[in-house]
Amino acid sequence: QHAPAVAVPDAEAADGWRMLRGDEVGALLATHLVHKRARGTFATTIVSSSLLSKIARAGGLAYEETLTGFKWLVRVPELRYAYEEALGYCVDPDGVNDKDGITAALLVAELAAELKQADRTLSGLLDDIAVEYGLHATDQLSVRVEDLSLIGAAMERLRSRAPSSLAGLAVASAEDLTAGSPALPPTDGLRYHLAGSGEVGSGRVVVRPSGTEPKLKCYLEVVLPVADPAGLARARARAAEVLAEVKADLRTATGL
């Protein structure tokens, strides 16, 4: 059940290859399944990219979000496809109702082969997805501590003094996930939705203590509209700048 890592040729990378993020592979597989006319529900977790919701909607499919972990994802009714950003994929729930690297790797190979027949690439499909749905750039800030009380203190600091903006983007809404909701059970976490400004269409930050390590984890996403392929390089550069600024502001806001 090991999750597959996928790399693509990249002339700018030191060794000529770039490993794709889990959210990128998740979007590629979802797009491929929509193309194959998959039916059912697509699902991912609250810390993964919001891109999957748009791909599902465009394919006329139901979409669900769960807490992190496949113990939650596999409970989604009529599940057809699920992934989480930490390189976990369920592409054949009828055969393996859990994350499974073997079936996911086979589906990636199938997609790559079909693209090659059409003289296309995985990188090119990612570009097409960005132009169609907007560039969804994600990153993570993970702070390891020796003293676990620092994590609780950081969460309390955020709850008592919530940031009004991150990277110059206004915090349009803030959710304390400990309250739970009809869609999600209670969990120790905070979610911020960022208003768009300038080139940035929107943003999202989820902050939560790790369930397995002495870390505070912050999951970041910014979405930038892209008019055409010529604008992708600029959009990616701007997204990287904004994500770096969000990280810096979160360090200040958490005191870590």
Side-chain angles (χ1 to χ4, degrees):
Q1 292 185 348
H2 293 293
V6 179
V8 296
D10 187 341
E12 297 182 5
D15 59 359
W17 293 85
R18 180 177 76 86
M19 178 178 160
L20 298 183
R21 290 180 170 276
D23 285 318
E24 291 177 306
V25 177
L28 287 170
L29 291 174
T31 300
H32 186 45
L33 288 170
V34 168
H35 179 70
K36 289 166 66 71
R37 292 184 169 82
R39 296 289 92 190
T41 300
F42 281 13
T44 192
T45 70
I46 59 172
V47 302
S48 301
S49 173
S50 62
L51 176 55
L52 184 65
S53 65
K54 298 173 184 177
I55 294 172
R57 188 181 308 121
L61 300 172
Y63 170 78
E64 295 286 345
E65 282 185 6
T66 73
L67 299 183
T68 56
F70 270 82
K71 67 178 182 181
W72 298 106
L73 285 169
V74 297
R75 299 180 191 181
V76 170
E78 299 181 13
L79 181 67
R80 176 59 184 86
Y81 169 65
Y83 92 91
E84 57 181 358
E85 53 79 38
L87 301 182
Y89 313 94
C90 175
V91 302
D92 180 22
D94 289 337
V96 183
N97 193 33
D98 200 347
K99 62 181 176 181
D100 179 56
I102 296 174
T103 49
L106 288 171
L107 197 62
V108 170
E110 178 183 88
L111 171 59
E114 290 185 8
L115 288 170
K116 185 175 182 179
Q117 282 187 327
D119 198 26
R120 301 177 65 203
T121 63
L122 293 174
S123 295
L125 180 54
L126 283 172
D127 289 349
D128 293 344
I129 291 170
V131 172
E132 183 170 359
Y133 301 105
L135 175 66
H136 290 63
T138 58
D139 204 350
Q140 185 180 137
L141 171 64
S142 182
V143 183
R144 179 180 288 274
V145 298
E146 296 295 329
D147 181 357
L148 285 174
S149 68
L150 293 175
I151 293 178
M155 294 297 291
E156 180 54 36
R157 179 178 176 132
L158 288 174
R159 288 188 169 103
S160 61
R161 286 174 281 176
S164 59
S165 67
L166 293 167
L169 303 173
V171 175
S173 64
E175 300 170 71
D176 189 340
L177 302 178
T178 55
S181 70
L184 294 172
T187 188
D188 187 6
L190 297 163
R191 179 162 56 183
Y192 303 110
H193 296 279
L194 308 180
S197 176
E199 295 169 289
V200 181
S202 63
R204 184 224 63 206
V205 174
V206 177
V207 183
R208 71 177 187 92
S210 169
T212 57
E213 301 175 277
K215 291 181 178 180
L216 183 69
K217 291 188 172 184
C218 307
Y219 302 84
L220 326 174
E221 178 180 54
V222 293
V223 182
L224 282 71
V226 183
D228 53 56
L232 276 170
R234 169 59 189 167
R236 288 192 170 110
R238 179 58 183 145
E241 293 172 357
V242 175
L243 289 170
E245 292 170 12
V246 172
K247 283 185 182 181
D249 288 351
L250 280 173
R251 285 189 178 275
T252 300
T254 59
L256 295 176

